[in-house]
Amino acid sequence: PAPFAGGRLYFCSQQAGNLDIYSIRPDGSDLRQLTQSSFAETAPAVSRDGQMLAYEREGAIWTMPTAGGSAAPLIGGPADKPAWSPNRQQIAFVRNSQIWIYEYAGGTTRQLTSDGFVYDAPNYSPDGTRIVCHSWQSAPESSIYILDAATGGVLQSFTAHPGSESVPVYSPDGGRIAFTRTGSPDAG
């Protein structure tokens, strides 16, 4: 997901008593509360053009303009961890531990992964041809996988180190992938 878009950072906070989504400028100014329901809203994903927000609420994916306005359910549950395609024509998301794709043209969903492994935290490459995610294909530790965005086929697997790697994101130019690692201090 894009936590930084349109010159703003997007995050979840309980500062108003409920888990809501906020945005703020990188210098800490201009804090804005974007969601204000009685439900927890999590996993904010901002389109690369900074115009739209997708997030998880009540086990479904909702969307709204980042400038404010009405939120609307888009993808019925179970669905979480949304990620916009660079052209804003698709949203990758997780359903039942698999990656699915929502297609705006026609409003349809299709399952991208179906090989029996657990997948999480999809994120599109800047050109939209690949999706990076983490998966538990060598349990109990997760590793980073790059999938073909059209077929779901594994293009590359890496991070075969002790410990788990998760929450991968592409650099803006697509040349690097950042991720978190937990586990063994020898992990590298």
Side-chain angles (χ1 to χ4, degrees), residues 1 80-83 92-94 99-100 120-124 131-134 168:
D80 65 2
K81 311 275 181 45
F93 65 98
V94 176
I99 296 177
W100 290 66
D120 202 7
N123 189 296
Y124 277 93
I131 293 176
V132 65
C133 62
H134 65 265

Side-chain angles (χ1 to χ4, degrees), residues 28-39:
S29 67
D30 194 24
L31 177 67
R32 297 179 190 168
Q33 183 175 354
L34 300 174
T35 61
Q36 300 178 23
S37 76
S38 60
F39 300 99

